[in-house]
Amino acid sequence: MPPMDSPRSVPALFDRRAWPMDGRLDYWTAPDGWPLRRYRLGDGARGRMLVLGGRGDMIEKYLEVIHHWAGRGWAVTSFDWRGQGGSGRLTDDPLCGHIGDFGQWIADLDAFAADWRAEGEGPTVIVAHSMGGHLLLRALAEGMASPDAAVTVAPMMGVHSAPLPRWLAVAIAETMCALGFDRKQAWTQKEESERQRHMRQKRLTHDPERYADELWWRDHSRDVALGPPSWKWVEQALHSTHALEQGRGIEGIAVPLLILAAQTDQLVSTPAIRRIAARIPGARLHVYGREAAHEILRELDPVRLDALARIDGFLDEVAPR
């Protein structure tokens, strides 16, 4: 795979604030009747790819990489997780990212992926970011049918709770849920000032323009905007990541797997990513330095293009046409 200082062609301009003209936006219905917003782009000459976002994400944030992979011949599908993006809400607060049990998301992914696999032929791959990466690996560890290859980008293998130790974060989350605040926002996402927006941006990406794209979509499509998670989400994230690491299921994951991570990630635990990657047979891990924040696929081009080159090279090797 090419190093970050390899010469590259200048990418074609892509309007990150518009849906590609030849895509299809619709809804997929879960077994219990819940509608999940779905987007599809590409003809599938190369194969089929499923892109999974992270907590608080919406499809719009990944249109740029979806367009990239569609341009390489993949039939790309993405969807919004239940309770976020365009897939409804699970509390009366439209800005609260709530889930009662991560198992619900695992069930949604398992059912969605089964229908997706049946849509056509060719190699199948799943690319998952952050929380989506955790849910993918947990689903695979629990027996979901494997794609031909998988990529996780800054997967949530552990929650970055610093400066609090994990045990204290767990105790606080469990206490707040027990007190009846389980469906309330766990913290305030302040973005009223330029300083506050800059602080949040630095946790996500070094690219102020791609960060501004997210704010633009939230302002122009208020129904997809989401704020902080609920206390129940925090409790579930802490317990689900711990259970996955403590269990033996990850050692049975046999799919070819590439993991990209950021050494200074302030949202997920990179040490946990390293520990778990070492236990997954054949997993390949690349960790970026200070040049990358959490949203590697939405970073400044030197990092973003390097990540795409690594992913494309990996998929060409392990999931050829």
Side-chain angles (χ1 to χ4, degrees):
M1 297 178 187
M4 288 187 60
D5 57 357
S6 294
R8 303 182 188 280
S9 59
V10 177
L13 291 177
F14 175 76
D15 187 351
R16 298 190 299 267
R17 300 184 182 185
W19 294 92
M21 294 296 292
D22 48 352
R24 180 182 176 188
L25 185 65
D26 60 10
Y27 285 85
W28 175 84
T29 304
D32 66 352
W34 193 280
L36 300 184
R37 191 175 65 146
R38 172 179 60 180
Y39 182 67
R40 289 173 284 184
L41 182 70
D43 60 17
R46 173 68 178 82
R48 290 176 298 119
M49 175 185 289
L50 179 59
V51 175
L52 307 177
R55 194 215 72 82
D57 284 345
M58 64 281 206
I59 298 166
E60 289 88 332
K61 286 181 65 172
Y62 297 94
L63 290 177
E64 185 175 27
V65 292
I66 289 173
H67 180 263
H68 165 83
W69 284 313
R72 289 183 60 86
W74 295 100
V76 188
T77 299
S78 188
F79 70 89
D80 287 332
W81 295 104
R82 181 185 300 234
Q84 65 182 50
S87 294
R89 295 294 178 268
L90 296 165
T91 74
D92 293 334
D93 180 356
L95 294 180
C96 182
H98 177 70
I99 192 71
D101 189 330
F102 272 27
Q104 178 64 70
W105 280 332
I106 300 296
D108 286 346
L109 175 57
D110 205 349
F112 189 100
D115 283 356
W116 166 73
R117 283 192 298 270
E119 288 178 355
E121 299 179 352
T124 57
V125 304
I126 302 179
V127 179
H129 168 67
S130 193
M131 183 187 80
H134 168 72
L135 295 173
L136 171 61
L137 294 181
R138 177 175 156 181
L140 292 172
E142 293 177 5
M144 185 183 82
S146 297
D148 293 302
V151 178
T152 61
V153 183
M156 189 181 75
M157 295 293 92
V159 178
H160 186 88
S161 62
L164 300 180
R166 181 188 174 279
W167 68 266
L168 182 54
V170 170
I172 292 173
E174 290 180 342
T175 299
M176 295 302 287
C177 289
L179 291 174
F181 296 101
D182 53 313
R183 299 166 68 88
K184 302 297 184 182
Q185 294 184 23
W187 55 76
T188 301
Q189 184 169 298
K190 296 182 179 180
E191 294 178 287
E192 289 79 12
S193 70
E194 184 63 30
R195 177 176 176 274
Q196 290 167 341
R197 287 190 292 272
H198 182 70
M199 289 175 61
R200 179 172 182 265
Q201 175 218 310
K202 285 298 186 182
R203 291 194 294 272
L204 298 176
T205 173
H206 294 88
D207 191 334
E209 294 183 1
R210 287 188 172 87
Y211 177 72
D213 293 335
E214 176 187 352
L215 302 185
W216 186 91
W217 280 109
R218 282 166 42 188
D219 289 342
H220 287 75
S221 305
R222 295 303 298 171
D223 57 323
V224 304
L226 197 68
S230 68
W231 279 108
K232 190 63 176 181
W233 182 95
V234 175
E235 179 200 58
Q236 282 288 299
L238 290 164
H239 285 308
S240 184
T241 52
H242 183 69
L244 182 63
E245 181 171 4
Q246 295 301 307
R248 302 298 298 271
I250 57 173
E251 294 166 7
I253 296 175
V255 60
L257 174 66
L258 173 65
I259 304 173
L260 301 181
Q263 181 62 42
T264 57
D265 200 315
Q266 297 182 52
L267 298 183
V268 303
S269 170
T270 302
I273 292 173
R274 290 185 184 275
R275 292 193 302 269
I276 291 178
R279 293 172 54 197
I280 299 177
R284 306 180 192 182
L285 173 64
H286 177 76
V287 180
Y288 291 96
R290 292 184 174 276
E291 69 275 11
H294 180 62
E295 294 186 342
I296 295 170
L297 295 179
R298 300 182 68 250
E299 260 295 354
L300 291 167
D301 276 350
V303 170
R304 187 182 69 89
L305 295 177
D306 182 80
L308 289 175
R310 290 177 185 276
I311 293 170
D312 293 340
F314 172 74
L315 296 179
D316 286 346
E317 175 189 343
V318 302
R321 287 182 180 84

